Amino acid sequence: MSERRARGAIGRSRPMVWAREKAAPWFTLHIGSRIVPVLRAIWKVVGPTLSTVSGFGWAVLVTTVLALVAGAVFGWRELLIVAFVLLAALLIAVGFAIGRSAYAVRLDLALSRVVVGERAVGRIAVTNTSTRSLLPARIELPVGSSFAAFHLPRLAPQAEHDDLFGIPTHRRSVIQVGPVRSVRGDPLGLMRREIRWTEPRDLFVHPRTVALGGSSSGFLRDLEGIESRVLSDNDVSFHALREYVPGDDRRYIHWKTSARTGKLMVRQFEETRRSHLAIGLSTNRSDYAETPGDDADYSAEFELAVSICGSLGVQALREEFDLTVLTQRAELQSETGRRLLDELSGVAQTERREAIAQLAKTLGSSVPDASVAFFVFGSTVTPSQLQAATVHVPLGVRVLAVSCRPGAQLSLREIGETSLLTVGDLSDFPLALRRANS
């Protein structure tokens, strides 16, 4: 009996299996292949229109539908009047959004790199490339976190309209300018049609720097390299003579001394290395104190530290030294002075709690062949913290520390083998270096 029921169930399931296997491909082939192109064509027409409706516009549309339904069901003329008024507003908004946009738009910046406080200007030029006049429109230009708006009048065929604009540069930053976009919409904001015309441009607002003369740089300048304590059998810095050992290069035998002593004597040298400046810039917010006039996004001590770091780096590259600039977060690109200042334009303080000792440890391991190391930080770093940090710097590296305290008197003190400079103004920094080098 159970076997007969099983056969019956199998017999009844065969049509269902056939339907699934045959009907689905048939529907996809005959019905789906016709519906999908139609839906795509409808969306191609309706999609751009729907995308122009703002959030406020959708709210008005929903209110219109609800008012129409409620007015028709309950017979409330007031709701019907409200619905027709809102519908009229929507239709009028559609008229504002409709229109051709055949523009050629250029975004020009007079300078892509300026120093804090310098005037930065740009120009937007819009040309009508069509053979018909274009209706007025609105041009928007995002500048950083804000944007500027320009009125574009009615343009005749091939006519051009341009606008000049200024960019505030009172703070160091990297400002993204653009993209330029044209906007069509109604005064109520029910519909908003945007078209992007250009790519964004970066404006680098460099920190202030000061020129460090040759006598004030405080760097070591041995053209043959800086002497180290590592002895070598082949270099340019002569150290001493020693007795010949089998395997030594006979070119370095000192024959006069060998003749006088009766033993073969060879020259021994000290290894030299190219001048290499390493700069450790602290970005830890706790290393800087707030000064009057500071806000949540600005620190006078940190800005002074960035300017000092940039001044040192530009001077080192000008004198063709090797340069490495580090922060707690990463190593900054410093192939050229422009590249370094571009990087410093975007440096910001962080909430990471790495002390100055961690920065010194990173510097010591990343740049073991440095000849001079600078640490730049704020007024909250104590001498004991600095002394603990310099332990991680390799022996033979000259260490100078710069404490940035706006308004403070220029001073110099020695903490162990480290020279600690207190700088209150960027213009005092060259004099501070001369004192440290004297």
Side-chain angles (χ1 to χ4, degrees):
M1 189 69 178
S2 60
E3 182 178 356
R4 185 177 302 172
R5 288 180 180 177
R7 291 178 179 177
I10 294 173
R12 290 192 299 270
S13 64
R14 286 178 179 174
M16 299 175 61
V17 173
W18 180 88
R20 287 197 298 268
E21 293 180 352
K22 302 296 182 180
W26 180 87
F27 180 84
T28 303
L29 180 62
H30 294 84
I31 305 300
S33 60
R34 297 178 182 179
I35 293 178
V36 171
V38 173
L39 293 177
R40 288 178 178 174
I42 294 174
W43 179 254
K44 188 174 181 180
V45 176
V46 178
T49 303
L50 295 179
S51 64
T52 62
V53 182
S54 65
F56 179 55
W58 284 111
V60 171
L61 180 59
V62 172
T63 303
T64 303
V65 174
L66 294 178
L68 279 173
V69 173
V73 172
F74 298 105
W76 291 353
R77 294 183 179 179
E78 294 82 358
L79 287 179
L80 291 176
I81 293 174
V82 170
F84 284 119
V85 170
L86 295 179
L87 183 59
L90 288 171
L91 293 177
I92 294 174
V94 171
F96 276 95
I98 291 176
R100 294 177 297 108
S101 298
Y103 298 128
V105 182
R106 297 194 310 275
L107 171 62
D108 297 323
L109 295 179
L111 296 172
S112 59
R113 292 169 174 84
V114 296
V115 180
V116 172
E118 286 187 353
R119 182 175 175 82
V121 296
R123 173 176 174 265
I124 296 177
V126 182
T127 304
N128 178 5
T129 59
S130 68
T131 57
R132 297 181 181 180
S133 297
L134 296 179
L135 296 175
R138 175 187 172 95
I139 298 294
E140 290 184 353
L141 174 68
V143 180
S145 58
S146 61
F147 70 91
F150 307 93
H151 174 69
L152 183 64
R154 182 184 182 91
L155 288 180
Q158 305 304 317
E160 181 178 285
H161 175 80
D162 60 354
D163 283 293
L164 297 177
F165 60 91
I167 303 174
T169 60
H170 57 279
R171 289 190 179 179
R172 173 187 56 83
S173 60
V174 179
I175 303 175
Q176 186 179 81
V177 183
V180 179
R181 60 196 181 208
S182 61
V183 179
R184 291 184 183 274
D186 61 288
L188 297 178
L190 300 177
M191 289 194 172
R192 178 183 173 88
R193 179 186 173 194
E194 294 184 4
I195 301 178
R196 174 173 169 171
W197 296 100
T198 67
E199 295 297 324
R201 302 272 301 274
D202 285 333
L203 173 65
F204 295 93
V205 183
H206 288 171
R208 293 188 180 93
T209 57
V210 63
L212 305 177
S215 61
S216 66
S217 64
F219 304 144
L220 304 178
R221 291 186 181 77
D222 188 350
L223 294 179
E224 295 180 346
I226 300 170
E227 294 183 358
S228 68
R229 298 181 182 180
V230 180
L231 299 181
S232 171
D233 293 331
N234 183 4
D235 215 308
V236 295
S237 181
F238 175 74
H239 174 65
L241 295 173
R242 63 171 176 82
E243 191 172 344
Y244 175 84
V245 177
D248 287 341
D249 193 333
R250 295 185 180 182
R251 292 178 299 174
Y252 299 111
I253 295 177
H254 196 268
W255 295 107
K256 291 184 178 180
T257 304
S258 300
R260 187 172 63 253
T261 60
K263 298 179 180 179
L264 286 178
M265 304 294 291
V266 295
R267 300 181 183 89
Q268 193 173 35
F269 303 87
E270 287 182 338
E271 285 188 354
T272 59
R273 56 190 179 194
R274 179 181 171 83
S275 298
H276 192 152
L277 175 65
I279 305 176
L281 172 65
S282 176
T283 56
N284 188 359
R285 190 179 297 274
S286 62
D287 289 342
Y288 299 89
E290 294 185 1
T291 56
D294 289 358
D295 55 35
D297 300 324
Y298 180 83
S299 169
E301 288 191 0
F302 183 65
E303 294 305 313
L304 178 57
V306 173
S307 293
I308 288 176
C309 177
S311 301
L312 285 169
V314 170
Q315 179 68 28
L317 293 170
R318 186 179 293 121
E319 298 186 8
E320 299 183 351
F321 289 178
D322 291 336
L323 175 66
T324 301
V325 182
L326 296 171
T327 66
Q328 278 93 340
R329 178 174 292 182
E331 178 180 345
L332 304 185
Q333 300 295 321
S334 57
E335 295 83 7
T336 63
R338 173 180 290 186
R339 181 59 177 159
L340 173 61
L341 293 176
D342 287 350
E343 290 277 287
L344 290 175
S345 297
V347 168
Q349 291 179 288
T350 62
E351 299 293 344
R352 302 172 69 176
R353 293 295 178 179
E354 287 116 346
I356 194 71
Q358 182 62 36
L359 178 61
K361 187 176 181 180
T362 303
L363 186 146
S365 59
S366 302
V367 199
D369 60 341
S371 51
V372 181
F374 273 89
F375 293 99
V376 188
F377 44 80
S379 61
T380 61
V381 176
T382 63
S384 59
Q385 290 177 325
L386 178 61
Q387 192 170 14
T390 55
V391 173
H392 302 286
V393 180
L395 294 176
V397 178
R398 185 182 179 188
V399 180
L400 295 95
V402 183
S403 178
C404 301
R405 303 185 183 188
Q409 293 293 325
L410 176 64
S411 65
L412 169 65
R413 60 181 295 191
E414 299 294 331
I415 301 178
E417 297 183 356
T418 302
S419 299
L420 174 60
L421 302 170
T422 300
V423 180
D425 191 84
L426 182 61
S427 60
D428 296 335
F429 188 51
L431 177 59
L433 283 181
R434 283 197 294 270
R435 289 186 180 180
N437 197 37
S438 60

